[in-house]
Amino acid sequence: MIEKNYKDYSEIIAKEARNLGVKENGIVLMHSSLSSFGLVPGGAETVINGILLALGNMGTLLVPALSYQYVNERNRVFDVRNTPSNIGVIPEYFRNRKDVLRSLNPTHSVCGCGEKAKDILNKHYIDETPCGENSPYHLLSKLGGQLLFIGCGLRPNTSMHGIEETIEPDYLFKGFVEYDVIDYNGQKSCRKCKRHNFKGFVQRYDRVQNILEKGEIKNGKILKAESYIIQAENLWKKAKKALSKDPHYFVDRLF
């Protein structure tokens, strides 16, 4: 038996992503774990090419490129071109693609490519919080976008921070930090932005399954990876309502 080549695997990923609910010419923000797919020739490149194929020529792919482990109170420099992401192989591969742009936020940047990527990413720098109203996380819900989780469960859901920021539960913010942000032109500017806290709490964003109705969340397999897709607008509406009733709904206290 001849092993399938990279293109074959990308086409399988595209087909299964479409079956799950990825919309052609749509906007998807993806969280993922490469190891969950099983053996994939070409690794992260094959996965990204598969999702781009599912989205089509007019689609837009967004991937968080969080850098809070590298950019913090001890190291306050964020270089949009060179600061790595700290959340896995796929985001780091995507960040380094030539066709990919990155938003200007020191700790919770987003990378993107496709039809609407520039418009979605280019105002993130305005916010003084990681996931504010000009962030891609917030804009996704207004543009009919989808959240795609591949092999990572539902806990790594950065959009939930954006929802939390509209409510400001007591665990969320730690205070302002002044960062040096270096843009694509090599220009450095000082940006003040709040840091998230969560000290004494563990995030339980998997509880979104309890608030979304049938049809608002769908799960299935992409290769070997258990995957989920959610309409961002539904998540924001239902999760904001849950947080308004119970500000600790999506966290557990550690002590």
Side-chain angles (χ1 to χ4, degrees):
M1 180 177 178
I2 300 174
E3 186 178 22
K4 294 181 176 66
N5 62 30
Y6 297 6
K7 183 179 178 182
D8 290 335
Y9 272 89
S10 291
E11 289 174 349
I12 293 169
I13 290 168
K15 180 180 178 180
E16 294 181 346
R18 284 276 189 87
N19 289 340
L20 184 65
V22 169
K23 297 176 181 178
E24 185 175 8
N25 300 328
I27 306 168
V28 163
L29 189 151
M30 181 177 73
H31 297 269
S32 59
S33 167
L34 182 59
S35 62
S36 69
F37 287 89
L39 180 61
V40 181
E45 180 180 7
T46 300
V47 172
I48 291 296
N49 287 342
I51 301 302
L52 290 174
L53 188 60
L55 284 166
N57 292 334
M58 303 294 285
T60 302
L61 177 60
L62 307 170
V63 178
L66 311 188
S67 54
Y68 54 83
Q69 289 184 6
Y70 302 112
V71 184
N72 47 51
E73 292 169 325
R74 297 179 300 279
N75 177 24
R76 302 188 181 200
V77 178
F78 172 76
D79 185 332
V80 69
R81 291 184 182 273
N82 298 311
T83 298
S85 167
N86 55 248
I87 54 171
V89 175
I90 292 175
E92 186 61 2
Y93 162 75
F94 189 62
R95 181 184 73 81
N96 283 291
R97 281 178 63 117
K98 291 182 179 180
D99 58 346
V100 166
L101 299 172
R102 188 182 194 181
S103 68
L104 281 174
N105 183 273
T107 58
H108 287 67
S109 65
V110 177
C111 288
C113 68
E115 182 70 14
K116 297 182 179 178
K118 184 176 180 180
D119 290 339
I120 293 171
L121 300 175
N122 69 2
K123 292 184 179 180
H124 198 178
Y125 75 94
I126 297 173
D127 293 327
E128 291 191 337
T129 61
C131 307
E133 65 178 349
N134 295 290
S135 72
Y137 310 105
H138 198 103
L139 295 176
L140 187 74
S141 67
K142 297 181 177 181
L143 295 171
Q146 298 174 297
L147 291 159
L148 177 62
F149 303 85
I150 308 179
C152 57
L154 291 166
R155 287 198 180 192
N157 184 350
T158 314
S159 295
M160 288 298 300
H161 296 330
I163 299 167
E164 288 168 320
E165 287 186 12
T166 67
I167 304 296
E168 295 196 24
D170 57 3
Y171 57 78
L172 185 59
F173 287 125
K174 186 176 182 179
F176 281 100
V177 176
E178 289 188 355
Y179 300 96
D180 288 327
V181 174
I182 302 172
D183 65 18
Y184 277 104
N185 296 318
Q187 298 295 314
K188 182 187 291 188
S189 61
C190 182
R191 302 283 173 82
K192 187 169 72 170
C193 189
K194 284 187 176 181
R195 280 186 59 79
H196 287 159
N197 185 12
F198 291 98
K199 184 176 181 180
F201 293 88
V202 60
Q203 297 164 5
R204 290 298 310 276
Y205 301 144
D206 52 318
R207 289 177 181 155
V208 299
Q209 292 183 94
N210 301 333
I211 62 171
L212 294 171
E213 298 176 10
K214 187 177 181 180
E216 294 179 332
I217 181 170
K218 185 178 179 182
N219 73 294
K221 289 286 186 71
I222 298 179
L223 297 184
K224 293 183 178 180
E226 188 69 27
S227 304
Y228 299 85
I229 194 160
I230 301 171
Q231 291 296 126
E233 184 179 4
N234 291 336
L235 175 70
W236 276 71
K237 180 179 178 180
K238 296 291 182 67
K240 188 173 180 179
K241 183 177 180 180
L243 276 173
S244 296
K245 291 181 177 179
D246 178 4
H248 287 181
Y249 185 83
F250 292 107
V251 294
D252 282 337
R253 193 182 294 273
L254 292 174
F255 48 81

